[in-house]
Amino acid sequence: MPAYPHLFRPLELPGVTLPNRILMGSMHTGLEARPDGMTRLAAFYAERARGGAALIVTGGFSPNDAGELGPHRVQMSSEADAQRHRVIPQAVHDTGGRIVLQVLHSGRYGFHQNIVAPSPLKSGINPQVPREMAADEIKQTIVDFVRAAVLAQTAGYDGVEVMASEGYLITQFLAPRTNQRQDDWGGSLENRMRLACEIVRQIRTATAPQFIIIYRISALDLVEGGLSGAETVQLAQAIERAGATLINTGIGWHEARIPTIAQAVPRAGFSWATRRIKECVKIPVIASNRINAPESAEELLARGDADMVSLARAMLSDAEFANKAKAGDRAGINICIACNQACLDHYFIGQPASCVVNPRAGRETTLLFKKTLTRKKIAIVGGGPAGLSCAALAAERGHEVVLFEKAAQLGGQFNLAKRIPGKQEFAESVAYYAERLRRAGVKVLLNHPASALELERFDEVVLASGVEPRKPAIPGIDHQSVVSYVDLLSGRVRAGNKVVIIGAGGIGFDVALYLLERSSRAALEAVEFNRHWGITQDLAVAGGLASGGMEQAHSEFQITMLKRSATPFGNTLGRTTGWVHRTELARHGVRMLKAVQFLKIDDAGVHIAVDGKELCLQADTTVVCAGQDSVRPFSRESTNFHSIGGAKEAVELDAKRAMLEGAELAARL
Ligand code: NAP
Ligand code: SF4
């Protein structure tokens, strides 16, 4: 019996049998509009199909100009588009896999000059007011969706996913929040559902019977004026009648102020919302959001919450997720840690999506790890993210690798990160890389700082010795109340009630969250998560938002965060996750002072000047989170000596750069 029997049961669809229950969910990769995008996407998806995903959904392609997400043309609206796409389904089919094209109309979420919506109402995440669609334009949009599906069929795709969640155009028609029309397309639920149902119905008529139509429903809107659970169920039933093959689920509109995929969300934390749809339709229903481990997927399938699971980021972090799960090799799976740093955050800054813990993702045609013809002896000094990445890949290429780590365990800064509430997933990466090193035959020497003499016998030396906390030159910095973030997060010291944090970068925020979580213990399990963020399972409530709003927060700590710069707090945090941390700190009443000048620290507290005024902040504990400096126990000018990660450059270091530098060096050695 396989380790995950429900996950590896075939799924019968009309004319098609899927070998397992794993769907690779749609992700914006940022490759779609690039000149070499189709070739790169073909390699990207083929690798995931080879990895065992039963069905893949591409990123979103617009059916027409108005539906574009951004200024670059990413469409399926012409024969030429269909021709360009051919290489993608071909590459996936060559592996025995299946792939469908996602058709997405952005509506008022588009970032270009010609955005449209059912009503001319601006969203909170886009300054532009959309133009109200005329009735003829709505009918033409249905035609455009159908044309996109027919072209997808011509290109060789196995089907389409109609993107109707996350607050895009179809969702905007469904919800009273955004649809205030008085005509056949607004008012009653039947009218608001008309666009969605007509799109599915007409695609069904225009395509082959076995052509897969996935409708991605918003299982939970999480915005005021969204659909109630009961209306969502009615919609699902109407979509089934219209001819959809499968219903996939999305959670929350992009403008919702509740985390839906960030680390704070418990694993598979929204599968209850999928279940209530599954219970009311006969076609298979797919659960999504924060399903990153096979055991979570198996549990929710065994519970009957869904018929299939959608993994998107989890397929970036490990293209072979499905094959490994099938083989019962849980320890061999590179688990997605839900950081969004190299995937979604990249998309918002116009960079192709990749993955922090798997830098090869999105670089399938450029970052290649060929077996070496010359086996070298390689020393890696430091077992943090950069060293782990380099050691694993260099050894897998066939080199003889020894890793020196002065601490008692591998992981470096990840061992601090995993202590932050919601960042427990970092422990997965440490365990995964430790196992990968073992399998690759890396000799790991713990509690072993490398000596210059030892390094002389190696052909290549890689300095991945990381960083140490910066000690700012503030008078009184050695006062007994002052600790570094390492002291606090490692558990070596406990904070008093009044805490001042010096520095408000990622680690300053992490420290505040760490202290608050220790006192509030919130947001860990699905039920607590819902209470914490004000989500109700009451079917009658619009948008799924509880009337009392978010839970009141209590903390034993009075925290003040200080920084010298005048920029907004949290502006260096991730685009898609920073707001969650800011919300959490604000609800706990964390005080934030910027443009601060540090004067001194003494028994009275931390003395600062702000706007020319001097004040003293009482502090039982002052935590220094003022960045880091590189640790370089050796410096040698020679061609066989390489620095990566924090040892190379401490400024703006993060795990993404560290692991990428480790991987790129390993490919060259
Ligand atoms: P950081 O982001 O560079 O922030 C350091 C903070 O200390 C800033 O507020 C800085 O800015 C202040 N500072 C620097 N030198 C100082 C001095 N001499 N005296 C007083 N204050 C000083 O570094 P970090 O917080 O240590 O984070 C390290 C890296 O890990 C960063 O790249 C960060 O993005 C990443 N990280 C990210 C996350 C995340 O959630 N995405 C979490 C943790 C870490 P001012 O000049 O304004 O005071
Ligand atoms: Fe997951 Fe982070 Fe990788 Fe994105 S970058 S796939 S969130 S581990």
Side-chain angles (χ1 to χ4, degrees):
M1 175 133 119
Y4 307 104
H6 292 84
L7 202 48
F8 289 95
R9 263 185 316 155
L11 180 64
E12 296 290 341
L13 302 176
V16 176
T17 304
L18 300 180
N20 62 53
R21 305 300 178 108
I22 299 177
L23 173 99
M24 177 177 168
S26 176
M27 285 203 72
H28 307 300
T29 64
L31 295 173
E32 289 78 5
R34 301 204 163 212
D36 60 349
M38 293 296 133
T39 323
R40 287 177 68 178
L41 283 170
F44 173 75
Y45 291 125
E47 196 153 312
R48 271 111 194 126
R50 263 193 304 278
L55 185 60
I56 291 173
V57 186
T58 66
F61 287 83
S62 169
N64 56 27
D65 291 347
E68 291 275 13
L69 263 173
H72 304 295
R73 189 179 182 283
V74 179
Q75 286 187 27
M76 179 60 96
S77 58
S78 67
E79 287 292 339
D81 290 331
Q83 285 305 321
R84 274 188 332 115
H85 271 258
R86 275 185 183 279
V87 59
I88 295 176
Q90 186 63 57
V92 170
H93 291 159
D94 286 349
T95 72
R98 288 194 167 80
I99 184 162
V100 304
L101 179 94
Q102 189 187 72
V103 188
L104 180 156
H105 190 303
S106 60
R108 69 178 192 165
Y109 281 174
F111 286 89
H112 54 85
Q113 297 307 309
N114 179 31
I115 63 170
V116 295
S119 302
L121 301 168
K122 190 173 85 64
S123 85
I125 57 172
N126 189 346
Q128 209 180 326
V129 181
R131 181 171 55 75
E132 179 174 308
M133 291 171 84
D136 283 354
E137 214 172 351
I138 299 170
K139 287 184 190 147
Q140 182 58 46
T141 300
I142 297 170
V143 171
D144 295 343
F145 263 91
V146 176
R147 180 184 57 198
V150 171
L151 288 169
Q153 187 174 256
T154 310
Y157 284 106
D158 299 282
V160 285
E161 177 172 85
V162 175
M163 179 44 158
S165 64
E166 262 78 7
Y168 292 115
L169 181 78
I170 297 175
T171 342
Q172 292 160 26
F173 267 86
L174 288 163
R177 174 186 183 81
T178 36
N179 185 345
Q180 298 179 352
R181 301 178 73 95
Q182 309 288 325
D183 59 6
D184 288 351
W185 306 95
S188 66
L189 179 62
E190 193 188 350
N191 281 357
R192 285 181 278 128
M193 292 195 308
R194 195 179 310 282
L195 175 69
C197 293
E198 279 304 304
I199 287 172
V200 173
R201 196 181 61 75
Q202 295 190 28
I203 293 177
R204 182 76 291 156
T205 308
T207 55
Q210 74 278 12
F211 190 70
I212 296 169
I213 304 175
I214 306 177
Y215 179 88
R216 183 151 171 201
I217 201 169
S218 178
L220 200 57
D221 286 345
L222 300 179
V223 287
E224 283 174 20
L227 292 195
S228 68
E231 288 174 319
T232 305
V233 164
Q234 284 185 56
L235 168 65
Q237 290 168 332
I239 291 298
E240 179 175 32
R241 285 194 298 275
T245 322
L246 293 151
I247 292 182
N248 192 3
T249 48
I251 304 292
W253 290 28
H254 285 322
E255 65 204 69
R257 290 294 87 182
I258 293 173
T260 55
I261 57 167
Q263 290 170 329
V265 179
R267 286 183 181 180
F270 289 110
S271 64
W272 58 268
T274 306
R275 185 188 181 105
R276 61 189 190 188
I277 294 170
K278 175 177 154 53
E279 283 171 347
C280 301
V281 295
K282 293 191 191 65
I283 54 175
V285 179
I286 306 168
S288 71
N289 288 52
R290 281 288 277 130
I291 304 168
N292 65 343
E295 63 274 16
S296 309
E298 175 67 17
E299 277 164 27
L300 81 86
L301 292 178
R303 240 186 353 253
D305 290 356
D307 302 287
M308 202 170 180
V309 290
S310 167
L311 315 179
R313 295 173 298 170
M315 291 277 173
L316 272 185
S317 61
D318 199 327
E320 288 187 90
F321 182 102
N323 285 346
K324 290 174 182 173
K326 189 173 183 189
D329 183 15
R330 171 64 173 81
I333 297 179
N334 195 0
I335 294 285
C336 162
I337 57 175
C339 63
N340 286 359
Q341 261 180 283
C343 49
L344 282 177
D345 287 348
H346 268 207
Y347 178 75
F348 286 104
I349 53 171
Q351 283 184 20
S354 184
C355 173
V356 167
V357 297
N358 175 24
R360 191 173 138 73
R363 299 186 177 93
E364 285 74 13
T365 56
T366 52
L367 188 52
L368 304 172
F369 301 100
K370 297 196 181 116
K371 283 282 174 202
T372 181
L373 299 174
T374 322
R375 184 172 158 88
K376 295 180 188 173
K377 286 192 169 116
I378 299 176
I380 313 267
V381 182
L388 289 174
S389 166
C390 190
L393 289 160
E396 284 161 6
R397 287 192 55 216
H399 293 303
E400 182 185 335
V401 178
V402 178
L403 188 148
F404 296 86
E405 170 54 58
K406 69 177 182 342
Q409 55 183 338
L410 294 172
Q413 298 285 312
F414 273 12
N415 290 320
L416 295 178
K418 73 187 185 192
R419 293 168 162 266
I420 310 301
K423 292 195 173 181
Q424 293 86 346
E425 299 280 15
F426 276 90
E428 289 275 5
S429 298
V430 179
Y432 164 77
Y433 271 96
E435 174 62 11
R436 193 163 157 192
L437 262 49
R438 189 189 68 75
R439 292 182 190 186
V442 175
K443 186 172 177 188
V444 175
L445 303 175
L446 297 176
N447 298 305
H448 192 132
S451 71
L453 190 63
E454 281 172 304
L455 296 181
E456 276 175 15
R457 68 184 173 87
F458 289 91
D459 302 315
E460 308 276 355
V461 175
V462 178
L463 200 58
S465 40
V467 291
E468 61 188 3
R470 180 178 297 139
K471 193 169 164 184
I474 302 170
I477 194 71
D478 290 320
H479 188 268
Q480 58 183 10
S481 66
V482 180
V483 301
S484 86
Y485 68 84
V486 178
D487 297 325
L488 189 78
L489 297 179
S490 65
R492 278 201 293 275
V493 298
R494 287 183 69 84
N497 292 81
K498 293 194 179 79
V499 179
V500 169
I501 298 176
I502 294 181
I507 290 180
F509 270 78
D510 276 357
V511 162
L513 287 167
Y514 170 78
L515 291 170
L516 296 174
E517 200 270 346
R518 281 186 53 219
S519 59
S520 69
R521 290 275 158 212
L524 290 176
E525 299 304 327
V527 176
E528 289 166 334
F529 176 84
N530 286 355
R531 197 171 49 233
H532 190 70
W533 287 96
I535 300 170
T536 176
Q537 297 192 14
D538 185 337
L539 274 172
V541 175
L545 298 179
S547 56
M550 290 195 291
E551 192 181 42
Q552 283 298 311
H554 306 284
S555 168
E556 72 192 58
F557 295 103
Q558 292 167 36
I559 301 175
T560 306
M561 290 175 78
L562 304 174
K563 67 183 193 116
R564 301 170 306 178
S565 53
T567 48
F569 273 85
N571 68 331
T572 60
L573 302 179
R575 285 285 289 269
T576 58
T577 51
W579 65 271
V580 181
H581 305 323
R582 285 193 295 272
T583 306
E584 205 62 87
L585 265 51
R587 78 203 299 200
H588 281 89
V590 172
R591 188 178 174 206
M592 298 183 180
L593 297 175
K594 58 188 180 183
V596 161
Q597 188 189 348
F598 294 101
L599 302 176
K600 64 177 177 181
I601 302 167
D602 61 18
D603 289 349
V606 181
H607 298 256
I608 58 171
V610 193
D611 289 336
K613 272 195 234 141
E614 291 192 11
L615 63 152
C616 174
L617 305 169
Q618 286 182 15
D620 301 318
T621 308
T622 298
V623 189
V624 179
C625 306
Q628 294 90 14
D629 295 315
S630 297
V631 174
R632 294 194 194 105
F634 311 98
S635 58
R636 263 203 324 225
E637 294 289 326
S638 67
T639 49
N640 72 341
F641 195 83
H642 318 267
S643 296
I644 53 173
K648 179 180 176 194
E649 177 63 78
V651 175
E652 291 187 7
L653 171 71
D654 58 26
K656 181 178 73 178
R657 173 160 74 78
M659 298 200 98
L660 176 59
E661 284 179 7
E664 286 175 339
L665 178 60
R668 290 197 306 272
L669 286 173

